[in-house]
Amino acid sequence: MNTFENQTVSSVRSVTGCDSLVVRGVTIANTGNLTLAAPEYVVLHGSFEVLLGGVLSINEKEEPLVFEFTYDAAGNRTLRRAKAVQ
């Protein structure tokens, strides 16, 4: 297990665990773009914050997921779909 902790991310950064990855005490600034990956699992533990404009991507195993959201005219979410990226 690898650990990524007590960091502020304000640019593009990727962190990969050997088998698993535990993340805690991390803030992603409005200019930050953080990708977390591990073959087995990624755990967000303790304090973790993504500020408005920041980007977080989590990839587990070899099949990352893409989430698709659909909204109606009033702004209500009507559909959430997850699919594996090929």
Side-chain angles (χ1 to χ4, degrees), residues 4 9-11 13 16-17 20-21 23 39 44 48-51 53 58 65 69-70 75 77-79 81:
F4 181 65
V9 177
S10 57
S11 60
R13 183 145 185 208
T16 302
S20 60
L21 180 62
V23 182
L44 303 181
F48 190 92
E49 183 176 26
V50 181
L51 300 179
I58 301 175
L65 296 176
F69 298 94
T70 304
R77 186 173 67 201
T78 59
L79 175 70
R81 180 178 18 212

Side-chain angles (χ1 to χ4, degrees), residues 7-59:
Q7 300 285 322
T8 297
V9 177
S10 57
S11 60
V12 176
R13 183 145 185 208
S14 295
V15 179
T16 302
C18 292
D19 292 319
S20 60
L21 180 62
V22 176
V23 182
R24 64 176 148 252
V26 172
T27 298
I28 302 174
N30 62 339
T31 57
N33 184 335
L34 177 62
T35 298
L36 303 172
E40 294 298 321
Y41 58 87
V42 175
V43 176
L44 303 181
H45 182 72
S47 62
F48 190 92
E49 183 176 26
V50 181
L51 300 179
L52 183 62
V55 177
L56 170 64
S57 301
I58 301 175
N59 297 319

